[in-house]
Each structure stands twice: as structure tokens, then as C-alpha cells.
Amino acid sequence: TTDKVVASDPKTFISNYLVSRFGNEWRLETDEYSKYDTFAMNHFILPERKKNKNYPYIVKGDFDGDKINDYATIVINSKKIVQIIIILGNNKSYFEQAGDAISLIKKQKLSSHWDNKTVELKGDGIEVVNFEKSAWVLYWNGKKFEQYWTSD
């Protein structure tokens, strides 16, 4: 998998993308602006940061299976609406429902007792988690992103 747009820092690339596409309407979610309480920060977020310094806000993977790296990130707008934006290597972007955190799911076959179907991912997926509530995977179906519920 290659980077079509090389960025020394994903945060810089994503911030520049957001400004170029949407002006100052959207910005990266950060610890400074997040709604995480101390329990969530200490029990869910900080342990994962040992593996991924950008957790829970930025994920890099090949989400559409075209062998070009893509980014997914949690963003917030001026009205305090929180979303996930997925930026594909071809510079197309998609907004999706956000949770508390996102992480990478490598390309695989998904099956869950929450959904009565099995899904073969065409690329990597994005796991979206609401701490102690629910979880789903965002995956590319060839035309758009869909949700596959894994926990409730």
C-alpha cells in the first residue's frame, strides 16, 4: 500500500485537507475538545496510545482496497457536531456517524451474532466504538461505506 499524498504527520495532512475542502467549519477532535471523562481516558484511551499515538482520533489504512492509503478521523464542527470523515487516496471524502473512538480492522471476513450476514471486506475496516455501549465496523462495499454491528 502506498501513500498518494505523502504527509510527514497525519494530523497536518488532515487539518490541511479539512481547511481546503470546508474552510474552518470542521477541525480534528483532540483531547482538549473531547468529551472523555477521566475513567474513559485512563481505562480505554491511554492504554491504546502505547500502540497508536493518534488513538482514538486518526486511523490510516486501505479502506477501499485500491492499494492507496486512506485516513479516517473524528472531527467536530463549529456547532459541536461530531462525525467521522473518511478521506480516500483519490481525495474523495465521506462523513459517517461517530463514536467515542476509531481503530483499524485489517481486511478480513466479518461475522457477528448482532448481524445475520457475513461480510468479506474489500479493504481495511474502521472499528467505531462507544465505550461500554456499542461497536460497529465501517467498511467499503464498492460504492459507499456501510455499518456492520459487532456489539451492543
Side-chain angles (χ1 to χ4, degrees):
T1 307
T2 62
D3 281 314
K4 188 173 184 180
V5 178
V6 178
S8 59
D9 174 28
K11 290 179 187 176
T12 302
F13 168 74
I14 294 165
S15 293
N16 290 340
Y17 181 89
L18 292 171
V19 169
S20 71
R21 289 290 306 275
F22 308 107
N24 292 319
E25 180 64 18
W26 292 93
R27 72 171 189 277
L28 278 163
E29 180 75 287
T30 63
D31 289 346
E32 181 183 355
Y33 300 110
S34 74
K35 61 187 181 314
Y36 302 124
D37 60 24
T38 303
F39 178 82
M41 185 60 78
N42 290 335
H43 289 82
F44 298 110
I45 296 170
L46 293 178
E48 284 296 315
R49 283 212 179 130
K50 292 175 184 171
K51 297 181 265 182
N52 175 2
K53 70 178 183 174
N54 292 314
Y55 184 83
Y57 308 114
I58 299 173
V59 175
K60 178 181 175 180
D62 180 14
F63 305 128
D64 58 356
D66 65 356
K67 309 255 187 279
I68 299 172
N69 281 320
D70 311 307
Y71 288 100
T73 188
I74 299 175
V75 293
I76 186 168
N77 73 6
S78 57
K79 296 175 185 167
K80 306 283 188 223
I81 296 171
V82 178
Q83 292 276 285
I84 295 169
I85 187 170
I86 303 165
I87 305 168
L88 299 180
N90 63 10
N91 280 329
K92 288 186 180 177
S93 58
Y94 300 82
F95 282 95
E96 298 291 339
Q97 176 183 344
D100 293 329
I102 56 176
S103 58
L104 182 68
I105 297 289
K106 295 305 280 180
K107 182 179 175 179
Q108 62 183 279
K109 187 181 289 188
L110 299 175
S111 83
S112 164
H113 67 278
W114 295 103
D115 211 328
N116 290 327
K117 66 180 179 180
T118 300
V119 173
E120 182 82 36
L121 300 183
K122 296 180 184 322
D124 298 326
I126 304 155
E127 182 179 39
V128 183
V129 176
N130 283 310
F131 300 134
E132 298 189 330
K133 294 178 187 158
S134 61
W136 62 93
V137 174
L138 289 171
Y139 70 95
W140 183 251
N141 72 4
K143 296 181 182 177
K144 65 179 184 171
F145 285 92
E146 291 194 24
Q147 295 179 343
Y148 186 85
W149 289 89
T150 56
S151 176
D152 187 26

